[in-house]
Amino acid sequence: MSGETLSQDPAELSRRIASSKAHPARVYDVFLGGKDHYPADRNAAAAGLAANPRGYLDVRHNRDFLRRAVTTLAEDDGIRQFLDIGTGLPTSENVHQIAQRTAPETRVVYVDNDPVVLAHARALLTSGPEGRTDYIDADLTSPAQILEQAARTLDFTRPIALCLVAVLHFVEDEKAYPIVRELMDALPAGSRLVLSHLTDDLNPESIRAVQRTYTDRGFTFVLRNRKDIGRFFTEAGLEPAAPGVVPVHHWRADHAAPVPEQPDESYLAGLEDIEKVRYKDINDVTDADINVYGGLGVKA
């Protein structure tokens, strides 16, 4: 059973889409090789890549961390409900595809505030017949609204995995920590928090150069250190699971990141650098490439 009918009035969506201003979800889409973005998003991604030519590894390994975390929760921990906030545009291997491969009955609620994501959200609602997916058009800074609407699909008496993957660095401290506490307080014992976050702990020069390209475009872009990222878990009363809060490529690494199919070399030579990243094999990653921490917390 799929999610409820989405309100997608074309005139309303067109009014809400600020195509002249880059949006994090659409910039992420550029790095993942998607097609649902605008020149402003492409320009922001290209500027970020110019500032850090290996920066695509942060994006792609962040996505691979999500794959491993969801697989772990579905296969090893028996989690059958996911609340994914800051979903981004539909791409290969969304949360419901990963989880329902193990447990077809899994329920997933996606949340994002980008109208372009809303316009393509039906691709997120392609659940198998045993499971259920839904999409909420809402902002992370409105946790009460998210929780109220998520209850249409999720059973709040059973464990839920809250996924906040590469989204909290777009929220200032005074809002970010209370939001995570409010969301986790509403979830029952046995629930999980899957979290990843950009940092300037690891390779500060490269990530600060990227930060400048985005703040110049009006983004809130907060780089937090490992201790402050750990606060998201401890202030919500969570115990981080092994191996703790670590660079994402080291979090339960299985060295099975998908390798994109390679196009003809003449075709590849004609592409701009930002277009080539979708074909990169990310298995050559080193510690000098990654600026993202990831972790999984368990609510007692």
Side-chain angles (χ1 to χ4, degrees), residues 108-131:
V108 179
V109 172
Y110 295 105
V111 184
D112 208 292
N113 69 336
D114 182 4
V116 176
V117 180
L118 173 61
H120 294 274
R122 290 197 185 280
L124 295 168
L125 304 179
T126 55
S127 174
E130 297 175 60

Side-chain angles (χ1 to χ4, degrees), residues 224-298:
R224 296 183 172 96
N225 60 32
R226 185 176 181 274
K227 180 179 178 181
D228 286 340
I229 294 169
R231 281 179 55 200
F232 286 113
F233 295 96
T234 57
E235 291 194 7
L238 306 182
E239 182 68 31
V245 177
V246 298
V248 287
H249 64 306
H250 289 312
W251 194 90
R252 305 190 189 184
D254 60 7
H255 308 289
V259 178
E261 187 174 335
Q262 295 301 299
D264 181 85
E265 286 189 15
S266 61
Y267 171 79
L268 198 61
L271 299 179
E272 296 179 15
D273 288 346
I274 193 60
E275 295 172 317
K276 293 177 182 178
V277 299
R278 75 182 69 177
Y279 301 112
K280 300 283 189 179
D281 179 357
I282 66 172
N283 291 290
D284 66 345
V285 66
T286 71
D287 290 349
D289 294 318
I290 296 298
N291 301 284
V292 188
Y293 281 122
L296 188 157
V298 181

Side-chain angles (χ1 to χ4, degrees), residues 5 16 73 75 95 129 142 148 160 162-163 167 227 244 258 287-288:
T5 302
R16 288 179 54 194
L73 292 173
E75 290 185 355
V95 170
S142 302
E148 179 183 4
I160 296 169
L162 171 64
C163 299
V167 65
K227 180 179 178 181
D287 290 349

Side-chain angles (χ1 to χ4, degrees), residues 53-103:
R54 299 272 285 174
Y56 64 89
L57 289 163
D58 278 334
V59 178
R60 299 263 303 279
H61 273 281
N62 176 73
R63 190 74 186 180
D64 201 54
F65 160 73
L66 177 65
R67 173 186 66 81
R68 298 193 308 276
V70 172
T71 299
T72 294
L73 292 173
E75 290 185 355
D76 301 341
D77 296 357
I79 299 297
R80 298 294 180 260
Q81 301 189 104
F82 292 81
L83 177 58
D84 181 7
I85 304 178
T87 301
L89 284 147
T91 187
S92 176
E93 291 290 272
N94 298 296
V95 170
H96 73 277
Q97 294 167 309
I98 301 167
Q100 290 180 356
R101 187 160 52 239
T102 295

